[in-house]
């Protein structure tokens, strides 16, 4: 590999460390006030803006084997794989489990989920999935192959409390005991196999009863219902579970479920009006599209009560996010006050979001590149900081608040107090692709100015910002090249190894004065190029990276890499693209620890097994273990080469006890 130094334009941290975010005092001066001309600043004048460093840092892909440092990750490094309850458990109505929003809405709108066989009623939902409810021992065998010392799984809220409401009366919980016994079995089995459980309380499967009752996360009452459910989990499982994640990816849950789509349940998307509410539904496919079914909702106590069964409303995703962050903080408060001292566990939140790379091409001037670095940081504050700042500092980033104006919900003083430091034990980050970022231009090529104070709103908040991992989008969200790395098997995902190092540096330099136990990569992985999504021999991307002197980052591949479902003995089982993904990303993680001093404590590969991939159904495979969902009633687990590769990487790159 060629020796190049490109991190001048990649890492969004400061050499002087002058812009580290610290937990603010209760009363702080607004240092991000609008400039005199009324424009909201987009540069690094704000106290919590991290300007990219001017020093060169070598990327993992830039070093020859002889040059590469040999430092290893510590023996305490958390190593394993991740799954989520709805994606793997199945047994959707077994042993007293209640419906989640995913059960209800995939049954009501099956056309919102891809399927390779619509004659199979289980092909568009998690009714059976991987049947881990009955086959967990088989999953553990796969963990042992990769030498996992941790397993990240999620608990199904509606399996424990079918109506979503946890109550304790006269010392007894109203729990579905069969559901609790299942998680007891899981946890005990892991520990018996020297695998440490890392439990997520919520991975998008809200009990449908709460959606029907008050609109789920759109209502402030969800905060306390979640905290009470969490309290039961701490009490029942906390003697054995020492690592807790409250919420998985609030951005995806809220933006995917309450704005974009229809992609994520409950399909409250704003791209089209719900078909069922049309005056004339003749010829409309009522098994797909946006939903309207919902309970009456209050965004906050004292707010207007929105009627039941209404079309999606403006700002639903913003209020979902607001309530889910407060719910996280309330659950953490319960744990710290009642359980943490005795149980000696740790608790945090998992956010997602793309590391932001300043856009450059052969015509980019040094001044333009510096400006794009500032916009890369700004894009990261919107995409990641919106969700990671509140659990650290107690409030949203100043840039987000200013640009959103009156559309931004405001935390009360009490809520800020609860939020501040609520993920200081550790921060989970799910990382996949990176985005380029720059100041947007109009049709005439003129830079679009930031919104003024008067213009500040949801719609205008990013009017001057562009970020994506390709330079354009075709219908179906298909990337128009060049792409930031090679096109993986999901339209939103590209393989670009420095992603993980850039993001780890951004997060750590932002929060290292607050974090006590570092950052855990709680998801990372890919679907391989497949029959739906691929871009072999991508000459446009090759030519782009060649034009800026970084040809190796095109990461091109030929047709032989593309998965063929009729031949699992090809690249499905011998998954060389996925292996190279892990090789690149893990090496960049190692360098973040060894060279950059980032306190990264763990890595959970996504995913242990092929599973129900949300709106993509069983047509997109992220697993390191193959399952034939359409033809094998036994759902046999067959390890792919990547599972063995990760075991080898762990042995070679993590100190062994």
């Amino acid at each position: 590999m060629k020796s190049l130094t490109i991190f001048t334009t990649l890492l969004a941290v400061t050499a002087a460390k002058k812009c580290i975010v610290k937990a603010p005092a209760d009363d702080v001066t607004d240092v991000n006030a609008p400039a005199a001309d009324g424009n909201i600043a987009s540069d690094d004048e704000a106290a919590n803006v991290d300007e990219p460093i001017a020093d060169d840092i070598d990327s993992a892909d830039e070093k020859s084997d002889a040059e590469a440092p040999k430092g290893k990750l510590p023996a305490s490094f958390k190593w394993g794989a991740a799954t989520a309850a709805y994606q793997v458990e199945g047994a959707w109505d077994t042993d007293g489990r209640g419906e989640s929003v995913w059960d209800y809405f995939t049954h009501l709108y099956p056309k919102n989920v891809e399927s390779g066989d619509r004659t199979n009623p289980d092909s568009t939902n998690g009714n059976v999935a991987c049947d881990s409810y009955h086959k967990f021992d088989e999953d553990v065998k796969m963990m042992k192959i990769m030498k996992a010392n941790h397993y990240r799984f999620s608990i199904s809220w509606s399996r424990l409390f079918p109506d979503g409401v946890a109550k304790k009366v006269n010392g007894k919980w109203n729990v579905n005991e069969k559901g609790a016994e299942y998680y007891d079995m899981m946890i005990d089995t892991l520990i018996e196999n020297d695998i440490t459980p890392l439990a997520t309380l919520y991975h998008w499967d809200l009990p449908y009863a709460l959606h029907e009752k008050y609109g789920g996360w759109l209502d402030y009452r969800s905060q306390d219902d979640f905290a009470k459910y969490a309290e039961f989990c701490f009490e029942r499982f906390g003697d054995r579970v020492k690592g807790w994640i409250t919420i998985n990816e609030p951005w995806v849950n809220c933006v995917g479920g309450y704005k974009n789509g229809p992609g994520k349940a409950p399909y409250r998307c704003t791209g089209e009006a719900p078909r069922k509410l049309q005056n004339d539904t003749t010829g409309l496919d009522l098994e797909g599209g946006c939903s309207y079914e919902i309970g009456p909702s209050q965004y906050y106590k004292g707010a207007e009560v929105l009627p039941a069964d209404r079309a999606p409303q403006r700002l639903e995703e913003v209020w979902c996010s607001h309530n889910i962050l407060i719910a996280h903080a309330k659950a953490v408060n319960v744990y710290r006050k009642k359980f943490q001292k005795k149980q000696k566990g740790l608790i945090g939140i998992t956010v997602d979001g793309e590391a932001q790379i300043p856009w450059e091409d052969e015509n980019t001037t040094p001044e333009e590149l510096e400006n794009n670095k500032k916009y890369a940081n700004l894009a990261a504050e919107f995409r990641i900081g919106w969700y990671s700042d509140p659990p650290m500092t107690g409030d949203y980033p100043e840039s987000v608040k200013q640009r959103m104006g009156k559309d931004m919900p405001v935390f009360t003083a009490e809520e800020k107090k609860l939020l501040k430091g609520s993920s200081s034990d550790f921060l989970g980050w799910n990382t996949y692709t990176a985005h380029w970022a720059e100041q947007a231009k109009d049709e005439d090529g003129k830079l679009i100015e930031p919104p003024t104070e008067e213009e500040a709103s949801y719609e205008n908040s990013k009017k001057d910002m562009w970020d994506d991992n390709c330079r354009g989008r075709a219908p179906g969200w298909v990337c128009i090249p060049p792409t930031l790395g090679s096109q993986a098997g999901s339209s939103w995902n590209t393989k670009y190894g420095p992603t993980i190092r850039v993001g780890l540096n951004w997060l750590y330099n932002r929060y290292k004065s607050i974090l006590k136990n570092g950052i855990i990569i709680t998801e990372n992985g890919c679907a391989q190029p497949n029959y739906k999504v691929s871009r072999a021999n991508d000459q446009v991307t090759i030519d782009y990276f060649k034009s800026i002197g970084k040809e190796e980052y095109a990461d091109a591949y030929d047709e032989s890499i593309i998965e063929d479902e009729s031949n699992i003995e090809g690249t499905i089982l011998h998954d060389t693209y996925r292996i190279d993904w892990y090789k690149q990303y893990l090496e960049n993680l190692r360098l973040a620890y060894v060279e950059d001093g980032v306190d990264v404590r763990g890595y959970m590969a996504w995913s242990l097994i092929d599973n129900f991939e949300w709106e993509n159904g069983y047509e997109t495979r992220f697993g390191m273990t193959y399952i034939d969902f359409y033809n094998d009633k036994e759902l046999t687990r067959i390890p792919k080469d990547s599972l063995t590769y990760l075991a080898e990487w762990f042995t070679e790159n993590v100190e062994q006890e």
Side-chain angles (χ1 to χ4, degrees), residues 113-120 123-124 531 616-619 630:
V113 179
E114 294 175 352
S115 172
D117 180 10
R118 291 198 181 273
T119 66
N120 178 350
S123 70
T124 56
Y531 79 95
N616 300 127
Y618 301 99
E619 299 301 292
Y630 295 127

Side-chain angles (χ1 to χ4, degrees), residues 199-320:
T200 301
L201 291 168
Y202 179 75
H203 198 128
W204 309 348
D205 49 351
L206 182 82
Y208 174 71
L210 298 184
H211 181 84
E212 184 179 43
K213 181 179 180 180
Y214 53 60
W217 295 115
L218 297 185
D219 193 287
Y220 72 94
R221 288 170 288 180
S222 61
Q223 303 167 16
D224 291 327
D225 278 336
F226 177 73
K228 204 66 180 177
Y229 151 66
E231 181 177 351
F232 167 80
C233 292
F234 301 147
E235 183 178 303
R236 177 70 174 247
F237 310 123
D239 59 327
R240 290 153 291 160
V241 174
K242 305 303 178 184
W244 293 99
I245 294 169
T246 53
I247 304 290
N248 178 77
E249 296 186 349
W251 184 91
V252 178
N253 180 87
C254 294
V255 176
Y258 295 86
K259 179 180 179 290
N260 295 345
K264 304 293 188 295
Y267 303 145
R268 300 281 300 168
C269 44
T270 55
E272 63 175 55
R275 298 169 192 173
K276 293 180 181 179
L277 294 183
Q278 302 301 306
N279 292 330
D280 182 4
T281 60
T282 304
L284 296 179
D285 188 347
L286 301 183
E287 292 188 341
C290 302
S291 74
Y292 74 94
E293 299 87 354
I294 193 171
S297 312
Q298 274 186 294
Y299 291 155
Y300 56 91
K301 192 171 184 179
E304 172 192 2
V305 179
L306 301 175
D309 294 339
R310 61 190 184 274
Q313 307 290 303
R314 179 177 177 270
L315 301 180
E316 283 191 355
E317 71 275 23
V318 175
W319 282 100
C320 168

Side-chain angles (χ1 to χ4, degrees), residues 512-585:
K512 66 181 178 181
S513 67
I514 304 170
L515 281 169
K516 301 172 184 175
N517 298 280
I519 301 166
I520 300 174
I521 299 300
T522 40
E523 288 182 23
N524 178 247
C526 71
Q528 295 196 123
N530 52 61
Y531 79 95
K532 295 187 306 149
V533 181
S534 65
R535 185 172 291 106
N537 305 311
D538 182 359
Q539 194 61 47
V540 175
T541 297
I542 293 171
D543 290 344
Y544 162 74
F545 278 104
K546 186 181 295 185
S547 73
I548 60 172
K550 302 165 187 176
E551 185 175 354
E552 72 277 19
Y553 288 100
D555 193 63
Y557 56 86
D558 61 29
E559 291 87 349
S560 67
I561 291 295
I562 300 172
E563 289 185 343
D564 178 0
E565 288 289 332
S566 67
N567 176 26
I568 70 164
E569 291 296 337
T571 57
I572 288 182
L573 289 183
H574 305 298
D575 50 345
T576 53
Y577 184 90
R578 182 175 290 111
I579 288 172
D580 188 63
W581 174 291
Y582 286 132
K583 180 180 180 181
Q584 290 191 34
Y585 279 70

